[in-house]
Amino acid sequence: MESAVGSGFDAAAPRGEYVRETGLDAFYPKLARLGHEERLDAGAVLWKEGDPGDSVAFLREGTLEVVNEAAEAEEVVLRILEAGTVVGEISTDGSNRSATVRAHTPCLILKVPAPAFRQFARQEPEFLERLFWTQVDRVRSLTREVARTHRRAITDELTRLYNHGFFRRRLEIEIDRARETGDQLSLVLFDIDLFKNYNDTYGHEEGNEVLVDVARIMKGIGRRADIIARYGGEEFVALLYGASGEEAHTFAETVRRAVETHPFAEAPGREARRVTISGGCATFPQPAGSEDELIKIADERLYQAKAQGRNRVVA
């Protein structure tokens, strides 16, 4: 990814003041002798992804945007570069550009050939150090953003539990691990009893609060390594690696009792509402010999719990 030198641009501040704050003004006169200034209209491309890294740009005025294409060929703006920024230095090692850079607004840039820029960086240790620490900051920022993006991708937005897609991927992985090690694992499917009636009576916002509370209860009871996810709607699932059928039943019963006794929608002057939950348990490798059988058996037992009067666990 293209990187940048510079920080904290105040659009209302004079450009010279901004450059002095970053300390790059001391280097610009020397850089200016190595390259030439160009003006770019808004939308003009400085370079495209895959182009050779034959130059470096110092942004004097305006803003540039770093653009990439997602796997679906949709354009993604990775970041906006502001005045006082050096861009493109990573590609001066002879590699190709990792992203497209174009003018977000009308720009004035200083373009320096890559060999001259490399020589300049070797002769100016302070400048090279600024480039290094900027890269450190960029890597840290990128790492945080990747972590946030990953969490969003695997997490249910409402309950903050894992989502259904992540659960299915982990189930496949854990089944393979259990086959190799001879371990067992158990799965519990839960469903909130008569949840549609609760929604119809009290409204979807209060129904969402019930979902959040149930998720919190399950997470509090589960072990650190357990995969607890929202399966869909008012259904939840717990993947318990290394747990026997008896241990899964104990876990499910603990959840059921905690939900049954939890004071939902408790508020001053209002009686707390009662919510119950039903569950079905299954264990690998017996009686379930595959991930599909594990889900199927747990689902059948959940259905049995519902048919037998709800607020119970069938294992």
Side-chain angles (χ1 to χ4, degrees):
M1 183 181 296
E2 303 298 342
S3 62
V5 178
S7 62
F9 178 66
D10 181 357
R15 176 174 53 82
E17 180 180 343
Y18 171 72
V19 173
R20 282 196 301 274
E21 288 175 355
T22 64
L24 295 180
D25 55 334
F27 303 104
Y28 188 82
K30 294 180 181 179
L31 281 170
R33 292 196 292 269
L34 304 177
H36 63 278
E37 288 189 338
E38 294 182 7
R39 289 198 174 273
L40 298 176
D41 295 329
V45 173
L46 178 58
W47 52 65
K48 292 183 178 180
E49 181 178 351
D51 285 351
D54 55 5
S55 64
V56 175
F58 187 108
L59 179 59
R60 295 286 281 166
E61 298 174 359
T63 56
L64 295 168
E65 56 187 9
V66 181
V67 182
N68 209 330
E69 289 189 350
E72 299 79 9
E74 294 180 357
E75 188 176 274
V76 177
V77 177
L78 300 175
R79 65 183 302 235
I80 299 293
L81 308 176
E82 297 166 329
T85 299
V86 171
V87 61
E89 72 275 17
I90 296 300
S91 299
T92 60
D93 63 350
S95 59
N96 294 335
R97 307 290 186 188
S98 59
T100 296
V101 177
R102 69 185 177 206
H104 182 63
T105 64
C107 294
L108 174 64
I109 63 166
L110 172 70
K111 209 167 185 180
V112 181
F117 181 84
R118 291 197 302 270
Q119 181 65 27
F120 174 79
R122 284 193 290 267
Q123 294 173 349
E124 298 287 346
E126 184 180 349
F127 184 77
L128 187 59
E129 184 178 357
R130 289 180 180 276
L131 291 177
F132 169 76
W133 286 114
T134 297
Q135 290 307 313
V136 170
D137 288 342
R138 291 300 302 144
V139 169
R140 287 172 177 165
S141 176
L142 180 61
T143 300
R144 288 192 297 268
E145 184 57 34
V146 168
R148 284 193 294 265
T149 301
H150 178 65
R151 283 196 298 271
R152 288 194 294 267
I154 68 175
T155 303
D156 175 62
E157 185 176 358
L158 175 64
T159 64
R160 313 311 299 167
L161 296 177
Y162 292 121
N163 59 28
H164 181 269
F166 179 77
F167 158 72
R168 290 304 302 252
R169 289 192 294 274
R170 281 300 299 269
L171 176 59
E172 181 179 357
I173 292 169
E174 301 300 355
I175 287 285
D176 287 343
R177 178 157 70 114
R179 283 198 178 102
E180 292 177 359
T181 62
D183 291 338
Q184 54 188 346
L185 63 85
S186 293
L187 183 145
V188 184
L189 274 177
F190 292 101
D191 184 88
I192 300 175
D193 298 325
L194 302 174
F195 187 68
K196 183 179 183 302
N197 292 350
Y198 191 98
N199 267 344
D200 292 344
T201 303
Y202 303 114
H204 287 282
E205 285 192 13
E206 297 212 15
N208 285 344
E209 291 180 11
V210 169
L211 294 173
V212 171
D213 283 352
V214 169
R216 190 180 299 116
I217 290 169
M218 290 182 62
K219 198 167 185 179
I221 294 171
R223 303 168 302 178
R224 185 181 182 88
D226 292 338
I227 303 300
I228 299 175
R230 187 178 180 188
Y231 197 67
E234 67 271 25
E235 288 188 318
F236 299 87
V237 64
L239 176 59
L240 314 174
Y241 190 88
S244 65
E246 183 178 350
E247 289 168 329
H249 183 240
T250 298
F251 163 81
E253 270 294 318
T254 304
V255 171
R256 185 196 64 76
R257 288 194 299 269
V259 171
E260 182 183 29
T261 57
H262 182 77
F264 289 91
E266 187 176 35
R270 186 174 69 187
E271 184 178 349
R273 295 166 188 155
R274 182 172 179 267
V275 173
T276 63
I277 195 168
S278 299
C281 307
T283 301
F284 174 91
Q286 289 294 330
S290 68
E291 60 183 278
D292 288 338
E293 285 184 5
L294 194 66
I295 293 173
K296 181 175 181 291
I297 292 171
D299 190 52
E300 289 172 348
R301 290 176 175 174
L302 172 60
Y303 181 80
Q304 291 171 21
K306 293 284 190 180
Q308 293 172 15
R310 304 184 181 88
N311 190 25
R312 66 193 63 217
V313 173
V314 173

